[in-house]
Amino acid sequence: MIVVYRHNNGSIDAVSLNEIQDPAEHEKIVWIDIFKANEEEIKQVEILFNIKMPTKHEREEIELSSRYWEDSRSININSYFFVSFFFVENSKSHYNESVSFVLQDNILFTVRDSELQTFEIMSKMLMSNPKEFFSGYEIFMHIFDIRIDRDADLLEYASRESDEIRKKLLWEADAHSVELLRKISTLQEFTQKVRQSVFDKRRILTAMVKSPKLSQEIKQDITIMMKDLNSLVEFITIDGNTLDNLQNLFLAQTNIEQNKIIKLFTVASVVLMPPTLVASIYGMNFRFMPELGWHLGYPFSLGLMIIAGLIPLLYFRNRGWL
């Protein structure tokens, strides 16, 4: 699907590609959103606007030279957009989606394969405030600004989840479960993917601010956005350290619980050893054992076993081991 946004008598219309075959209409266009388009549709855009759109393989390249480059006519950008459904129990609920941006002749071309809330918000803003957007550069800046705000919300969500986990670890006795450890691990992956998205945008804007194709006003906006990204990077570092500490706290408290169980079994074994020794001695049934013919021999042996068990038990109790 290809949606073309163009100025029309003070407003902005969203039309299909077939409605702008006349080259005179190109000057009115500010944004062409290419969503899940097939090769034939992309080829039609390339011919109509004399442009080269990045392939899916090129959009997923991780080298910096593949994330941002310029030529005499256009600026080409491949950026990660973090997709999340605000569930951390399942790592498949969040991932990074590659989106391509091409800025040429004051038109923004976007190529994507997933529905992204950022683009829905941008479309509504564009339709409701047409006088604020005169070129594709402004639309691109707003898309990145919306995305940065979204990443900030995701990081705040991860921080709240971390606080909840910390409270459970410190105050709930039954908090040491495999599910909680899995949640910590998934939150770490969640934060790492947001970090990847934020770092990617910071690299792109750092390169973009040096472009001679941009106006001074847009460069000032980019500088402000980079400050916001730097603050997010600091927040990610703090949150990442917090999650690492939570994982260490979980493992430490798990070890403490295991040590308590081991100590309990150890004390039980030591307490039972003297009675077992007494029972073993009197269970040998040698022929010449005076106590075998004694009427009080049985209660005497039972009492001796009880006393032998109580002595180490009282000793451990006085030492504070129980």
Side-chain angles (χ1 to χ4, degrees), residues 139-258:
I139 297 174
F140 171 81
M141 294 297 297
H142 275 78
I143 289 176
F144 258 48
D145 191 40
I146 294 169
R147 184 64 251 184
I148 291 172
D149 289 340
R150 176 70 172 173
D151 288 342
D153 292 340
L154 292 171
L155 291 173
E156 290 173 359
Y157 162 74
S159 179
R160 290 194 299 269
E161 289 289 319
S162 300
D163 289 340
E164 289 297 322
I165 293 175
R166 181 179 59 82
K167 292 176 183 178
K168 287 182 180 180
L169 284 174
L170 293 177
W171 303 110
E172 295 184 14
D174 59 344
H176 307 92
S177 62
V178 176
E179 289 75 15
L180 190 61
L181 181 60
R182 185 182 296 116
K183 193 169 186 177
I184 294 174
S185 178
T186 309
L187 260 179
Q188 288 176 320
E189 183 183 358
F190 181 93
T191 305
Q192 182 65 25
K193 288 182 178 178
V194 177
R195 178 181 181 274
Q196 184 183 14
S197 175
V198 170
F199 269 69
D200 180 72
K201 290 173 181 59
R202 188 172 69 169
R203 287 194 300 266
I204 289 170
L205 292 179
T206 300
M208 193 174 183
V209 76
K210 303 174 184 178
S211 174
K213 295 183 176 65
L214 303 182
S215 66
Q216 192 62 32
E217 182 181 356
I218 292 179
K219 289 184 178 181
Q220 290 176 355
D221 292 339
I222 290 177
T223 302
I224 295 173
M225 292 170 65
M226 288 176 62
K227 291 181 180 179
D228 293 338
L229 287 172
N230 289 334
S231 65
L232 291 184
V233 169
E234 293 177 2
F235 191 92
I236 290 171
T237 302
I238 295 173
D239 198 42
N241 292 335
T242 300
L243 288 170
D244 289 339
N245 292 335
L246 284 177
Q247 190 174 51
N248 293 334
L249 178 62
F250 178 91
L251 296 176
Q253 292 191 351
T254 301
N255 290 334
I256 291 174
E257 294 296 326
Q258 291 177 345

Side-chain angles (χ1 to χ4, degrees), residues 2 9 12 55 60 92 95 97 99 133 142 149 184 209 215 217 227 233 265 267-268 277 279 285 316:
I2 300 177
N9 296 326
I12 291 182
T55 64
E60 295 175 352
K92 293 182 180 179
Y95 57 91
E97 177 72 21
V99 180
F133 304 96
H142 275 78
D149 289 340
I184 294 174
V209 76
S215 66
E217 182 181 356
K227 291 181 180 179
V233 169
F265 279 104
V267 170
L277 177 62
N285 292 325
F316 292 142

Side-chain angles (χ1 to χ4, degrees), residues 50 69 81 132 146 178-179 181 205 207 217 278 287 322:
N50 189 23
W69 72 95
F81 273 53
E132 295 184 8
I146 294 169
V178 176
E179 289 75 15
L181 181 60
L205 292 179
E217 182 181 356
V278 173
R287 183 175 181 180
L322 295 177

